[in-house]
Amino acid sequence: MSITEIESYRLSRRGFLNAAALGAASIAVSACATTGPGPAEPPPPTYVEPPLADYASMYAAVNDGGFDLPAIPVDRIDPQFLRQIVPDPTGQKPGTIVVDTTGHFLYLVRPGGQAIRYGVGLGRAGFEWSGDAVVQWKQKWPKWTPPDEMIARQPELKQYSADNGGMPGGLKNPLGARALYLFQGNVDTLYRLHGSPEWRSIGKSVSSGCVRLMNQDIIDLYDRVPSNTPVIVTSDARQPMVATANHKAIPIDAGVPDGSVLLGPVKAVTNAIF
């Protein structure tokens, strides 16, 4: 055999061995891929709150319960007080309502670190009362019955006293299109989250009422709030609640009407409901 033939043989043998080695490695890798665990499951998507409608739609004129609510001129309201989705500043569990009396905001906490924020107007009761409660009764176009103390100050309201049947629900009713009644234990706090036709009062402190929302906003909140929804009223939504004695509200009405059906058994307000 010549030298040239010997070198050719060596090269051919070396190529065969290299090919064989590569083939074995490929089989080993293939075997690893088929016997090992599959690809990791992607993490579940972060909850994203469905977008709200545009302001013209949210605050448009609407017929509700036989009453014609006028449109709200959103261009004349500070945009921060219009309904919107924001990062949740409260740290509370989803489903909790937090009223920030300093910022004049109401937050409905949603999953995924979000909240729906509504602008509110505050009356004397809005500053006189703070603490924890639950929404234990709610009413569409509620009757308003001014308390005796209010009638004593404003005798013209006597026509709406409990003895006279109260003021029927309607566009001029101080409780607006909806009212959420807050309880502690079995006790009506006389504190209300309610509607108001006075859109100019949103974001401001006014002479009477509890926490008032624009009628279109209280209708939206009412539809999102189930029974026993926890409510926190605080002067700073960013700070955790400090356990303090709750203050008695200045009554806006004479309480839940006799014979009303509550939303369910009232529980003591503890962390268990949050």
Side-chain angles (χ1 to χ4, degrees), residues 3 48-49 58 70-71 73 89 98 116 147 165 228 245 256:
I3 294 175
V48 177
E49 184 68 19
M58 285 195 291
V98 179
I116 300 176
N228 281 333
V256 174

Side-chain angles (χ1 to χ4, degrees), residues 41-117:
E41 289 291 331
T46 301
Y47 177 86
V48 177
E49 184 68 19
L52 301 175
D54 60 275
Y55 288 141
S57 300
M58 285 195 291
Y59 295 106
V62 61
N63 180 276
D64 180 86
F67 298 102
D68 291 321
L69 283 171
I72 295 174
V74 293
D75 57 333
R76 298 174 63 184
I77 297 175
D78 188 330
Q80 68 176 320
F81 297 119
L82 298 175
R83 190 190 325 162
Q84 55 196 281
I85 298 171
V86 299
D88 171 40
T90 73
Q92 299 299 326
K93 291 189 177 180
T96 306
I97 290 174
V98 179
V99 177
D100 180 347
T101 59
T102 299
H104 289 77
F105 295 126
L106 182 150
Y107 297 92
L108 176 60
V109 181
R110 305 295 287 169
Q114 301 169 294
I116 300 176
R117 189 178 75 190

Side-chain angles (χ1 to χ4, degrees), residues 122-125 205-209 212:
L122 295 169
R124 287 175 303 200
S205 302
V206 293
S207 61
S208 62
R212 57 172 66 182

Side-chain angles (χ1 to χ4, degrees), residues 6-192:
I6 291 171
E7 289 299 327
S8 176
Y9 170 77
R10 287 176 177 171
L11 290 172
S12 299
R13 186 172 183 273
R14 187 180 304 147
F16 171 79
L17 292 175
N18 288 342
L22 288 173
S26 176
I27 292 171
V29 170
S30 176
C32 244
T34 55
T35 58
E41 289 291 331
T46 301
Y47 177 86
V48 177
E49 184 68 19
L52 301 175
D54 60 275
Y55 288 141
S57 300
M58 285 195 291
Y59 295 106
V62 61
N63 180 276
D64 180 86
F67 298 102
D68 291 321
L69 283 171
I72 295 174
V74 293
D75 57 333
R76 298 174 63 184
I77 297 175
D78 188 330
Q80 68 176 320
F81 297 119
L82 298 175
R83 190 190 325 162
Q84 55 196 281
I85 298 171
V86 299
D88 171 40
T90 73
Q92 299 299 326
K93 291 189 177 180
T96 306
I97 290 174
V98 179
V99 177
D100 180 347
T101 59
T102 299
H104 289 77
F105 295 126
L106 182 150
Y107 297 92
L108 176 60
V109 181
R110 305 295 287 169
Q114 301 169 294
I116 300 176
R117 189 178 75 190
Y118 307 83
V120 301
L122 295 169
R124 287 175 303 200
F127 289 105
E128 289 295 322
W129 194 92
S130 64
D132 298 349
V134 293
V135 174
Q136 196 54 40
W137 195 66
K138 58 182 190 175
Q139 183 66 33
K140 297 180 179 180
W141 294 102
K143 177 188 295 186
W144 176 57
T145 307
D148 292 340
E149 299 88 342
M150 185 178 291
I151 293 174
R153 295 192 303 270
Q154 298 174 263
E156 69 275 12
L157 298 179
K158 187 174 182 179
Q159 61 180 315
Y160 304 124
S161 68
D163 291 339
N164 291 323
M167 177 188 282
L171 296 176
K172 295 183 179 180
N173 188 299
L175 294 180
R178 304 285 190 275
L180 308 181
Y181 296 71
L182 306 189
F183 277 63
Q184 290 179 320
N186 290 314
V187 179
D188 180 0
T189 65
L190 302 178
Y191 198 85
R192 311 285 183 251

